[in-house]
Amino acid sequence: MSELFDLQFLDFTSGLEGEAEFIPLISAEEEESINKQSYPEELPILPLRNNVLFPGVVIPITVGRDKSIRLIQEANKGNKIIGVVSQKNQEEESPEFADLHNIGTVAQIVRLLKMPDGSSTVIIQGKRRFEIVQPVQTEPYMAAKVRLIEEMKIDQKDKEMDVMFKTIKDLALQIIRDSPNIPSEAAFAIGNIDSPTFLVNFISSNMNADVSKKQEMLEVLDVKKRVMMVLEHLTLEAQMLEMRNEIQSKVKRDIDRQQREYFLHQQMRTIQDELGDNPQTQDIREFEERARLKKWSEEVEHIFYKELDKLSRMNPQGAEYTVQMNYLDLLLDLPWGVYTKDKLDLKRAKRILERDHYGLEKVKERILEYLAVLKLKGNMKSPILCFYGPPGVGKTSLGKSIAEALGRKYVRMSLGGLHDESEIRGHRKTYIGAMPGRIIQNIKKAETSNPVFVLDEIDKLGRSNHGDPSSALLEVLDPEQNKEFYDNYIETEYDLSRVMFIATANSLASIQGPLRDRMEIIEVNGYTIEEKIEIAKRHLLPKQIEEHGLKSSDIALDKRTIEKIIEDYTSESGVRGLNKVIAKIVRNRARQIAMEEEFTAKVSIDDLFVILGAGRERSKYETNEVAGVVTGLAWTSVGGDILFIESSITQGKGRLTLTGNLGDVMKESAVIALEYLKAHSEILGLEQKVFDEHNVHIHVPEGATPKDGPSAGITMLTSLASIFTKRKVKKGIAMTGEITLRGEVLPVGGIKEKILAAKRAKIKEIILCEKNRKDVEEIKQDYLKGLTFHYVKTMTEVLDIALTKSKAK
């Protein structure tokens, strides 16, 4: 409901064709005169389609139907009195009496006008309500007998009615004032109505309501009820109008602001065009020029130009403009279809690997195998290698050497402590501060789609409520899936199948099974003392001399000095700690040179005490004079070491006590060893009651250090056999192996590290499981000089080799 009054009545407020006598306003006396006037009992009936005529109201009607034209013409020649009734169905072209309402209004023809288009417009004024009693004729127009309806008298003293009329007038004036479609002259018309009944009829006739609602008001004879209906409608109309005005006002403000911004931007653009290209046009032109050089697929090209078109329609001052710019810039910076050519000279690759890394023969062999297949086939899906081993053995630097050997770009990404999945897959670009994942970021930095990509510390990935990054890596590290790696930021697939991923890890235990299954695990063992000496001479010392601004003639470390540093001042499988110690020695020499002190180039063993302080004495083999003490070999995170198993027996009831901060597996090994001896006491010539009458105590020194694992099984059993039989353990022997209740010896891991630890401790003989023979054969024979190996299958063999015939004191 957009307006209260039909605009037709306004023609009469200013007069029709300059004749003021048609102003549709009547006084109370005129209204009284109309009600007393007599009218014929039989009236011609004019059907109205879209309107309802109320008593006293003047309305124009366009007459088009033949019957209606005939009726108007004849009535205009006669007494000018007709009956006007609204149709029930407004679409009906030829209505019958059944299609008309029963209640209508007696009308007087005020004037008949011929319009320019040939139609007729008749101006009529309502007089009295009537009811159709009986139809008289239908041709040439409808006529009927009617009964006039008496208007109810209004009690002039009824204060409630007086207030209601005033309220109606006020509401009508308010609606006229607030409505933009009703001229202010309408208020003049309302203000000049002094008849309450005519006021209600006038407003009912011109209100913005459908025909059925107006007809309902016409048929209501009770003035008070009719007033309430009008009041209800006006109140609703006023509320709707107020709401509409509020909405329009808000919309207008928004549009005005947008228009203002638009005009300002247009002016700014015009000024920039006068000075030169505006920044937005320059950006789009630059993007288009860069896009012509890209080798991307049709799908990516379609995405780019679609997003570029979106950028051209954006407001450069908006926040989304910068987001869109960054996105398009990334698409252009990524090396779509850009690959470096591999240098497949295997002899050159071997020289580079030998130059950069001493030892690590198995790792170098695997890398050369990959290069050989790549050379023969020309193209292959890159394998996912995982270098696994203790810290400082050169796992990360191997990746750099492989990149140089292949002629590829080198990228390193540290995964230590990474706990957010979006660091791998990126964020949706709709988020504030969104970025691509670090995989895509590093590919962009490499400027090629086939770099050597080192994923450092893959075993140290975290997990949080932001997702599991190790699960996100499953797609990255699967050669069958990473051809279509999906990054959330770029919102399309990127081909990672030709990237050579190399992961590094210190421990495999914390890597998810599915992720570990996707990688080829290559163990990188610790270095021997001989290897460390060579690494120190070839790599570490020259590097530190260069970094500290010295010359090679300023400092010299001979083999014995380096060996002393390794044995007494480092405890590791790798060479990171050794590098730090050498750096400290070089810094000391740099201070001497800077302070112009006297020095000799050679650093002796005696100088180490002055520079580095007292070293840590390594565990050495102890005497075999005491029964029950056996040397075992252990693997630690920093390499191999030796440990001593001590046993003692006292009078008691067969209780077993274990000390030395042992783990559950190691405790179980002690229990198995004792039970095996009880079950096979005849092997050692012992009676069963010996075990029932003595308490056994097994201790592993350095109790502050946690110890676990099954490899001390044969060592514990030998220690128990020695203490019960009082037989000495063979001098200069050490052992490692797991045992079973049946007396079998099982293989264990970390053989290389354990053998190196034995050699450092001056051990001469080592007992191993037969199945560990292959591990020993893989070690360079030069490192095994002076060692004798005994390969065994059962505990009986161990005891025959380890125990002597002589008794201990």
Side-chain angles (χ1 to χ4, degrees):
M1 296 183 183
S2 61
E3 59 188 40
L4 173 65
F5 298 101
D6 193 306
L7 293 179
Q8 298 171 36
F9 93 93
L10 295 174
D11 298 331
F12 304 101
T13 63
S14 58
L16 183 66
E17 296 181 350
E19 299 182 20
E21 66 268 16
F22 296 119
I23 293 175
L25 302 177
I26 61 175
S27 63
E29 291 77 11
E30 291 172 330
E31 186 179 17
E32 183 69 24
S33 174
I34 289 172
N35 290 334
K36 290 179 179 180
Q37 189 175 343
S38 61
Y39 299 99
E41 293 183 359
E42 185 176 312
L43 293 175
I45 302 300
L46 176 67
L48 287 186
R49 280 189 181 185
N50 302 316
N51 209 342
V52 176
L53 179 64
F54 286 82
V57 178
V58 177
I59 62 172
I61 300 171
T62 300
V63 181
R65 292 184 280 210
D66 293 340
K67 288 184 178 182
S68 299
I69 294 173
R70 179 78 173 271
L71 183 150
I72 293 297
Q73 288 175 346
E74 291 189 9
N76 192 44
K77 293 175 184 178
N79 61 4
K80 301 183 184 296
I81 301 298
I82 62 174
V84 177
V85 183
S86 296
Q87 294 180 194
K88 295 177 181 177
N89 181 7
Q90 299 174 22
E91 304 299 325
E92 184 63 51
E93 283 292 334
S94 301
E96 302 294 337
F97 277 101
D99 299 320
L100 304 180
H101 291 285
N102 284 335
I103 305 297
T105 305
V106 176
Q108 180 178 0
I109 298 174
V110 178
R111 175 167 290 188
L112 178 63
L113 303 173
K114 295 288 186 181
M115 305 306 291
D117 60 357
S119 62
S120 298
T121 297
V122 61
I123 299 169
I124 58 176
Q125 182 180 27
K127 298 296 183 177
R128 291 274 300 275
R129 288 178 177 81
F130 70 81
E131 180 181 8
I132 295 175
V133 176
Q134 181 179 354
V136 174
Q137 67 179 42
T138 58
E139 295 296 340
Y141 48 81
M142 290 191 287
K145 288 184 178 181
V146 299
R147 179 179 62 81
L148 295 177
I149 299 174
E150 290 293 329
E151 294 288 342
M152 285 185 64
K153 297 291 184 181
I154 298 175
D155 186 359
Q156 299 295 332
K157 297 180 181 180
D158 190 341
K159 293 184 178 180
E160 183 182 359
M161 287 292 291
D162 187 50
V163 171
M164 290 172 68
F165 283 126
K166 288 181 180 179
T167 304
I168 287 176
K169 182 176 285 191
D170 291 343
L171 273 173
L173 292 173
Q174 177 188 336
I175 292 171
I176 293 169
R177 184 177 62 251
D178 293 343
S179 176
N181 299 325
I182 303 178
S184 57
E185 287 83 356
F188 172 77
I190 294 290
N192 282 281
I193 297 175
D194 58 359
S195 169
T197 310
F198 177 64
L199 176 67
V200 174
N201 289 340
F202 185 73
I203 292 174
S204 300
S205 176
N206 291 288
M207 68 170 53
N208 186 23
D210 55 30
V211 175
S212 60
K213 185 72 175 177
K214 291 182 179 181
Q215 181 65 31
E216 184 182 351
M217 291 180 180
L218 180 68
E219 293 177 0
V220 173
L221 301 181
D222 187 340
V223 179
K224 196 168 187 177
K225 185 176 179 182
R226 195 188 317 154
V227 169
M228 287 300 296
M229 290 176 69
V230 173
L231 192 58
E232 180 183 343
H233 185 84
L234 289 182
T235 304
L236 179 62
E237 185 69 21
Q239 291 175 350
M240 295 294 290
L241 189 59
E242 182 181 0
M243 189 185 305
R244 186 184 68 178
N245 287 341
E246 287 179 3
I247 293 171
Q248 286 181 341
S249 177
K250 183 177 182 303
V251 171
K252 185 176 183 301
R253 286 197 303 271
D254 292 344
I255 291 175
D256 288 346
R257 190 185 72 250
Q258 292 173 8
Q259 287 289 91
R260 182 173 178 275
E261 291 178 356
Y262 173 76
F263 285 125
L264 286 173
H265 287 309
Q266 287 299 106
Q267 290 175 349
M268 188 183 298
R269 184 173 296 178
T270 303
I271 294 169
Q272 289 170 341
D273 287 341
E274 290 294 325
L275 298 173
D277 283 348
N278 68 70
Q280 185 178 17
T281 306
Q282 289 178 343
D283 290 339
I284 292 172
R285 185 179 298 123
E286 180 188 342
F287 283 153
E288 288 174 341
E289 290 173 358
R290 290 169 63 189
R292 292 190 195 101
L293 305 175
K294 302 304 291 183
K295 302 177 182 177
W296 45 30
S297 63
E298 290 183 6
E299 180 185 355
V300 180
E301 184 176 13
H302 173 72
I303 292 172
F304 173 80
Y305 282 107
K306 179 182 175 183
E307 298 296 328
L308 185 64
D309 182 57
K310 191 185 297 181
L311 178 74
S312 66
R313 298 193 302 271
M314 283 184 174
N315 180 359
Q317 307 303 318
E320 297 86 356
Y321 187 82
T322 305
V323 174
Q324 192 74 357
M325 282 275 293
N326 292 338
Y327 175 69
L328 292 171
D329 205 37
L330 175 69
L331 287 182
L332 288 167
D333 284 342
L334 284 174
W336 303 92
V338 177
Y339 303 99
T340 55
K341 189 175 181 181
D342 291 331
K343 297 177 182 177
L344 299 176
D345 184 348
L346 267 63
K347 292 181 180 178
R348 173 181 170 276
K350 186 175 182 180
R351 285 197 302 272
I352 291 173
L353 292 173
E354 292 290 350
R355 179 198 70 194
D356 294 343
H357 295 84
Y358 188 84
L360 306 179
E361 304 303 331
K362 287 175 65 178
V363 180
K364 294 174 186 175
E365 183 182 344
R366 175 64 187 89
I367 294 168
L368 290 174
E369 287 173 358
Y370 166 71
L371 297 181
V373 175
L374 190 62
K375 182 177 182 179
L376 294 175
K377 189 177 180 185
N379 185 21
M380 65 178 289
K381 289 180 180 176
S382 295
I384 314 297
L385 304 179
C386 179
F387 296 147
Y388 147 67
V393 295
K395 300 185 297 295
T396 305
S397 59
L398 266 169
K400 190 174 290 186
S401 299
I402 294 170
E404 184 182 351
L406 272 171
R408 293 190 183 188
K409 294 289 185 70
Y410 170 76
V411 177
R412 175 184 168 274
M413 173 180 166
S414 177
L415 299 178
L418 201 71
H419 57 79
D420 191 344
E421 181 185 347
S422 58
E423 291 283 346
I424 305 296
R425 288 193 174 277
H427 308 78
R428 300 280 180 193
K429 71 173 186 285
T430 52
Y431 296 147
I432 295 173
M435 295 175 64
R438 289 174 63 182
I439 299 289
I440 293 296
Q441 288 183 45
N442 281 290
I443 293 291
K444 171 189 167 184
K445 188 196 304 181
E447 299 179 345
T448 174
S449 293
N450 65 336
V452 172
F453 202 124
V454 175
L455 299 168
D456 219 2
E457 311 291 356
I458 198 171
D459 57 323
K460 295 176 180 62
L461 278 171
R463 190 173 185 174
S464 72
N465 57 343
H466 297 291
D468 181 8
S470 61
S471 297
L473 277 176
L474 292 176
E475 183 183 4
V476 177
L477 299 182
D478 191 337
E480 299 299 326
Q481 297 181 35
N482 62 14
K483 182 178 177 63
E484 297 175 342
F485 171 68
Y486 188 88
D487 187 281
N488 292 327
Y489 185 84
I490 63 174
E491 295 181 340
T492 187
E493 288 83 12
Y494 193 89
D495 185 4
L496 299 178
S497 62
R498 294 176 69 175
V499 177
M500 185 175 184
F501 287 103
I502 297 175
T504 70
N506 299 130
S507 170
L508 298 179
S510 57
I511 303 177
Q512 278 191 18
L515 185 58
R516 189 166 63 241
D517 185 54
R518 282 164 167 78
M519 301 185 292
E520 181 180 341
I521 307 297
I522 299 175
E523 187 174 359
V524 184
N525 293 315
Y527 296 110
T528 64
I529 292 180
E530 289 80 2
E531 287 174 332
K532 288 183 179 181
I533 292 171
E534 291 299 322
I535 291 170
K537 286 169 61 178
R538 297 184 187 190
H539 301 285
L540 304 183
L541 184 58
K543 179 183 176 184
Q544 293 300 335
I545 289 173
E546 182 183 352
E547 288 184 355
H548 289 81
L550 303 185
K551 295 179 289 186
S552 57
S553 58
D554 291 333
I555 187 170
L557 296 173
D558 61 17
K559 182 178 177 180
R560 289 183 62 251
T561 304
I562 296 174
E563 185 175 355
K564 180 70 173 176
I565 294 171
I566 294 169
E567 289 187 340
D568 291 359
Y569 295 95
T570 65
S571 176
E572 57 178 349
S573 294
V575 291
R576 192 169 285 142
L578 177 59
N579 188 42
K580 292 176 183 177
V581 175
I582 292 175
K584 188 172 183 180
I585 295 170
V586 174
R587 283 197 301 272
N588 181 267
R589 180 53 45 87
R591 180 187 61 78
Q592 290 176 330
I593 294 173
M595 297 181 68
E596 299 181 354
E597 298 177 2
E598 291 187 5
F599 64 89
T600 56
K602 183 179 179 181
V603 178
S604 65
I605 293 177
D606 294 333
D607 293 333
L608 295 180
F609 180 80
V610 177
I611 299 171
L612 303 175
R616 181 179 72 86
E617 186 68 24
R618 278 196 172 271
S619 299
K620 299 288 184 180
Y621 173 74
E622 296 184 359
T623 178
N624 68 334
E625 295 301 319
V626 180
V629 179
V630 184
T631 306
L633 299 176
W635 181 92
T636 68
S637 59
V638 294
D641 203 354
I642 66 171
L643 54 82
F644 300 100
I645 307 293
E646 303 175 348
S647 299
S648 67
I649 55 175
T650 56
Q651 292 292 328
K653 297 183 179 180
R655 189 176 72 249
L656 173 64
T657 304
L658 302 170
T659 55
N661 201 352
L662 309 183
D664 291 340
V665 177
M666 204 165 182
K667 290 177 181 177
E668 290 170 1
S669 296
V671 174
I672 292 171
L674 182 59
E675 291 301 321
Y676 176 79
L677 283 181
K678 288 180 180 179
H680 302 83
S681 55
E682 70 279 359
I683 297 175
L684 300 173
L686 298 173
E687 296 182 5
Q688 189 65 40
K689 66 179 182 178
V690 174
F691 299 101
D692 298 331
E693 295 172 354
H694 292 86
N695 292 333
V696 180
H697 187 159
I698 299 177
H699 176 66
V700 183
E702 298 185 25
T705 305
K707 311 168 192 72
D708 202 5
S711 60
I714 63 172
T715 315
M716 288 181 167
L717 193 141
T718 304
S719 175
L720 291 172
S722 172
I723 195 66
F724 275 110
T725 60
K726 304 298 182 184
R727 291 164 62 182
K728 290 182 180 181
V729 178
K730 191 174 184 180
K731 191 173 183 179
I733 197 168
M735 60 192 72
T736 181
E738 183 180 354
I739 61 170
T740 69
L741 277 174
R742 300 191 305 274
E744 292 183 1
V745 179
L746 303 180
V748 291
I751 295 300
K752 181 179 179 181
E753 287 81 1
K754 291 176 179 178
I755 291 173
L756 299 179
K759 194 172 182 183
R760 289 195 297 269
K762 311 301 181 187
I763 300 291
K764 302 299 181 184
E765 298 180 53
I766 299 177
I767 300 177
L768 298 169
C769 174
E770 175 66 36
K771 293 181 180 178
N772 283 126
R773 184 190 293 269
K774 64 181 186 306
D775 297 306
V776 178
E777 291 172 350
E778 289 179 355
I779 303 172
K780 274 190 176 182
Q781 293 303 309
D782 295 344
Y783 304 150
L784 303 180
K785 288 180 181 177
L787 291 176
T788 302
F789 294 94
H790 300 281
Y791 300 105
V792 298
K793 294 181 179 178
T794 63
M795 268 312 302
T796 307
E797 298 175 61
V798 175
L799 298 178
D800 290 341
I801 297 168
L803 296 182
T804 63
K805 300 295 183 182
S806 58
K807 298 285 186 177
K809 295 180 182 178

